[in-house]
Every structure is written in structure tokens, then in C-alpha cells.
Amino acid sequence: MLIRFKKRSDVASSEITPKTMFDQRRKFLKTAAVAGAGAAFGSIGGAAFPAQARGAMLDGVGKSKWTQEALGVEPSKYDDVTMYNNFYEFGTSKEAPARNSKKFKPLPWTVAVDGLVEHPGSYDFEDLIKPHMLEERVYRFRCVEAWSMVVPWVGIPLADVVKRLGPQGSAKYIAFETLHDAKRMPGQKRRVLHWPYREGLRLDEAMNPLSLLVVGLYGEVLPNQNGAPLRLITPWKYGFKSIKSIVRMSFTDKEPPTSWNMAAPGEYGFYSNVNPTVDHPRWSQFMERQIGGGFFAPKQETLMFNGYEEEVGQMYAGMDLKKNY
Ligand SMILES: Nc1nc2c(c(=O)[nH]1)N[C@H]1C(S)=C(S)[C@@H](COP(=O)(O)O)O[C@H]1N2
Ligand SMILES: [Mo]
């Protein structure tokens, strides 16, 4: 992961507040859905996901306690969230994923569930994610490259999915894998990482109420560049833990290998909890730069566990977080 702080070309549009954009976009998408394009979008309301997923609005998304008001911070701009991405399967620059994922067709999609679990199998995406349970959560997002965003995600608690799958008593971890198909994900032709992209969580981390299986953002179906149709978000961990385009969940009793740890074990550990007191070997983690704030905007101090210490701190009680980085 290279640190590249590029000047964003759309800084000039910053007079428009993110909130206004958010509302306008919502209004626009709702109107579009009603006025004709609606046939393709369908209604979520406990039924199915939109047939034409790209850009479609997710209906009936519930509120959660993780609102913009509760966080006290406005979401980042939609354009920043969807045009400044890390998704090496579609190229290694920040602009590449939006450009190179345009033709990617996420649906239909199945997720393999295997290992130490009561209900293994190949699950259709729409069966795994109960559409009527979708909720919006505005979370801080902190990349290990020392930049951050605030994103209104739409998803369902990972704990709910895990409970339905039924981990066996011996299961201690969940290993996740991204789709491995260089025809659909051209960035995989280059061996910049060990494909498939792999990530893992301890079972208690997966069960933590903050862990979210994400299928949308800004009220719409998850754009390809953000990990369509299904990605993980664990907001107290560095961004790379939030694996995109998940096709496998394996329940295991051993700490699973992860792509970034395999690539650079001294730099990226299994836990990767946001921690301003543990520097990356090549740079400090004390501060962060908010994407969209403009090139000269002051940096902000990074918060322990990205500000979610109250919710997650006790899971690491007694652990040496300098060793378990
Ligand atoms: N499969 C896959 N998942 C991935 C990545 C990736 O390259 N491939 N990049 C990670 C990193 S480093 C970050 S910061 C986030 C970026 O998510 P975003 O583009 O939605 O902001 O995705 C993570 N998930
Ligand atoms: Mo990242």
C-alpha cells in the first residue's frame, strides 16, 4: 500500500456541503425510481434486490443508532467515497477501481460457507442478506495510509448472518475471501497481492455489534468500486480489513492468513486495530487527513480504535496491542 496524497480535482466543488449533496442525491434517486426507471429497480421491502443493481436506490432501509447526528460529523462527499478507492483487483491507483470496474456485473452472486459451521453451503447473496433487515450506519473509516472518510453505509449486522449460519463450538475465527477471477477483475493479472484477497476476524470481533456486512452506501446499491455486491466494514480497524466482493466465509479454529500480512508481515498484522500509539514501520499513525477536506486542510488526530473504544475495547483487554498490531 503506497501512500499517495494527490490533490483532488474536485476541491472546487467543496462549497456544496456533503449533507446537501446527500439529500439532493437521495431525492434524485427516489424520483428517478418512481418515474419510469422503476421497473428495473423493483422494491426491496423484504423481497429481492434490484435486478439492475448499478446505481439503484435501496428501499426501506432502516435507521440505526449510528447516525450522522450521533457521530457529529458530516459524511464525506459521494464523489470522494466512490472515486478515491483501494481495490487492487481493479488496479492500484485510487482512480483505477471506479474506471476499471464499470463493466463488472456483481449479480447473480453466491457466497460459499464452509468449515466449522452448522449450515455450510453455497448461499445466494439475496438469501444471506435479509433485505428487510438493512439499516444505515454512518461510520468513520480510517485507512492504514493515514487518510479517513465518513461514510453512510447500508448493510446488516454480520452477527445476524453468523448466528443464522451457526458456528460450531470449536470455531474461533472467520476467514473471508474475495472473488478470484482475472477475467472479471483485471487487476488480478498482476501479482501485486496474493490472490484471492483474504481477510479474517476473530469470532467475537465478527459478533461485535459494529461489524457490518455492507451492500450499499448513500442509500444506493454498493457501487462496484466499493466492493459490490457484498463487503465487510469493521470501523475500528484499518480499512484493509474491510474485504470487498466476498465469495467465501470459512469458520476455522486457526487464525487465518490474510493478504496484506502475507505481503508484508512486519507492516500489517492480523488485528490491525486503529491505534495512534502504534506507528506503521514506515510512517506515523498519529494523525490522519480527511479525504475531500482539500489539500491544505489541517490533519486530524487519529482516535484509539478509530473512536469506537467503548464498543470494542474490552475485546482486547489484557492483550499487548504493540505485539498484536
Ligand atoms: N478485495 C479487496 N478488498 C479491499 C481492498 C482490496 O484491494 N481488495 N482494499 C482495502 C483497503 S486498503 C481499503 S482502505 C478499503 C477501501 O474501501 P473503499 O474503496 O470503499 O473506501 O477496502 C479494502 N478492501
Ligand atoms: Mo487501506
Side-chain angles (χ1 to χ4, degrees):
M1 251 175 284
L2 303 172
I3 298 203
R4 239 185 303 233
F5 289 162
K6 275 202 189 144
K7 194 174 193 300
R8 299 275 303 136
S9 52
D10 60 351
V11 169
S13 69
S14 61
E15 312 102 67
I16 309 165
T17 69
K19 174 80 174 95
T20 316
M21 286 215 11
F22 190 5
D23 291 345
Q24 280 175 352
R25 188 168 169 78
R26 276 211 153 132
K27 225 173 263 163
F28 168 74
L29 286 163
K30 281 236 165 82
T31 317
V34 171
F41 295 163
S43 168
I44 289 296
F49 281 86
Q52 300 288 316
R54 216 182 148 74
M57 199 68 186
L58 291 162
D59 265 347
V61 175
K63 279 259 164 232
S64 74
K65 65 172 182 172
W66 291 276
T67 58
Q68 172 182 329
E69 291 72 29
L71 192 63
V73 187
E74 294 198 334
S76 304
K77 278 184 266 167
Y78 176 86
D79 282 357
D80 287 323
V81 175
T82 57
M83 286 158 70
Y84 187 92
N85 300 105
N86 274 332
F87 199 172
Y88 280 18
E89 283 85 341
F90 292 105
T92 53
S93 77
K94 295 290 182 280
E95 298 78 19
R99 191 175 60 236
N100 297 336
S101 69
K102 284 202 174 82
K103 281 188 280 181
F104 183 73
K105 285 201 178 58
L107 300 180
W109 191 266
T110 52
V111 179
V113 174
D114 54 22
L116 306 169
V117 63
E118 296 301 329
H119 306 291
S122 178
Y123 286 85
D124 197 88
F125 163 69
E126 291 167 34
D127 295 332
L128 207 59
I129 305 301
K130 298 281 179 218
H132 68 276
M133 292 188 66
L134 292 182
E135 57 182 63
E136 179 168 274
R137 296 188 179 189
V138 181
Y139 278 165
R140 294 174 196 279
F141 182 87
R142 172 61 158 77
C143 176
V144 73
E145 297 164 319
W147 52 263
S148 64
M149 296 195 194
V150 172
V151 185
W153 304 108
V154 178
I156 90 167
L158 176 59
D160 173 75
V161 176
V162 171
K163 273 184 220 150
R164 275 190 274 130
L165 296 173
Q168 292 177 8
S170 51
K172 296 281 173 295
Y173 298 89
I174 306 179
F176 298 87
E177 277 179 28
T178 295
L179 176 69
H180 188 189
D181 183 347
K183 284 197 203 83
R184 298 173 70 190
M185 296 183 150
Q188 289 175 338
K189 286 174 190 147
R190 289 175 57 213
R191 306 191 63 181
V192 288
L193 280 175
H194 298 82
W195 311 116
Y197 194 101
R198 277 163 253 222
E199 259 310 332
L201 293 176
R202 229 168 50 189
L203 195 58
D204 61 326
E205 296 178 319
M207 300 300 285
N208 187 281
L210 281 182
S211 296
L212 196 65
L213 270 181
V214 165
V215 302
L217 53 77
Y218 274 90
E220 71 173 49
V221 167
L222 196 62
N224 291 340
Q225 61 269 35
N226 295 92
L230 180 65
R231 60 97 58 92
L232 176 70
I233 287 290
T234 47
W236 71 98
K237 293 177 178 287
Y238 291 120
F240 66 88
K241 298 294 288 183
S242 62
I243 181 171
K244 296 176 167 180
S245 305
I246 297 165
V247 293
R248 180 181 298 277
M249 292 171 57
S250 306
F251 291 75
T252 155
D253 55 2
K254 284 174 207 69
E255 187 183 285
T258 63
S259 288
W260 281 105
N261 181 257
M262 289 158 87
E267 302 189 10
Y268 309 108
F270 177 77
Y271 285 95
S272 296
N273 293 319
V274 176
N275 187 340
T277 71
V278 178
D279 288 339
H280 182 280
R282 290 186 283 134
W283 61 82
S284 164
Q285 293 292 18
F286 192 65
M287 306 289 280
E288 65 199 51
R289 179 178 155 267
Q290 188 155 350
I291 298 303
F295 194 68
F296 299 105
K299 291 188 177 182
Q300 305 172 0
E301 283 187 15
T302 289
L303 303 171
M304 187 65 197
F305 295 116
N306 203 26
Y308 298 99
E309 184 160 20
E310 219 173 284
E311 289 99 321
V312 301
Q314 78 287 351
M315 292 195 291
Y316 310 103
M319 274 177 71
D320 182 345
L321 297 179
K322 289 201 161 64
K323 286 203 183 104
N324 297 286
Y325 54 92

